[in-house]
Amino acid sequence: MPKVALIMGSKSDWPSLKGCVDVLKKFEIEVEVHVASAHRTPETVAVFAANARENGFVIIAAAGKAAHLAGVIAGHTTLPVIGIPVKSSFMDGLDSLLSTVQMPTGIPVATVAVGGGDNAAYLAAQMLSIKYPILAEKLLAHREQMAAAIEADDRQIQDEV
C-alpha cells in the first residue's frame, strides 16, 4: 500500500497543510502526519528519517522561516523528500522557499511553491505511481476532470461574449 509521511515543523503549519492530506486521501494513499522540528527535536527527526525506508514512506516535509526540516530529513535518508515552504510572518515565505530549495549537491529536496501542499501531494502520488499503476490511472482521470472543467469554463465565457 502506498504511504506518505507528512512532517511539519510546527503545529501552526497545519491549517495550510490540510489540503495536502485531502489530496492524498482522495488518491487512497495512506498518510501519517507528525509534528517534529529540525531545531527543537532534531533527534526525533533523525530517527524518523533513518527509519522511513523501512516504514515504506515517501516523505513530505513542511516548515516555515528557517525551513531546514526537509533538508535535515534528506540528509538522513536516500528516499525522495518533497519540501513545502510555509509562509511565515516574514518575507511572505521567501525565506522558507530559499531555505528549502537551496540544498547542497547530492542531497536534493524536491520543492513546491510556498504553501504548495496540494502540489506536494500530487508529486508524491506521481512518485508512487511508478510502483502502483492504479495511481497513474487515478492521476490521469484527475487531469481529464481538470481539462473538462476548463473546457466548461471556456464554453461559459464564450456564451457570455
Side-chain angles (χ1 to χ4, degrees), residues 5-9 59-63 69-71 73 81-85 100 109:
L6 171 59
I7 313 299
M8 65 189 85
I59 302 168
I60 299 174
L69 184 59
I73 291 172
V81 176
I82 303 167
I84 305 171
T100 304
V109 169

Side-chain angles (χ1 to χ4, degrees), residues 51-119:
N51 293 312
R53 181 177 298 281
E54 180 180 313
N55 292 322
F57 289 120
V58 167
I59 302 168
I60 299 174
K65 297 183 182 175
H68 295 131
L69 184 59
V72 168
I73 291 172
H76 287 283
T77 184
T78 57
L79 290 171
V81 176
I82 303 167
I84 305 171
V86 175
K87 183 177 178 179
S88 63
S89 57
F90 305 103
M91 301 176 70
D92 286 333
L94 179 60
D95 51 342
S96 305
L97 174 64
L98 295 174
S99 294
T100 304
V101 77
Q102 294 290 13
M103 291 299 299
T105 300
I107 311 293
V109 169
T111 307
V112 296
V114 174
D118 289 17
N119 264 356

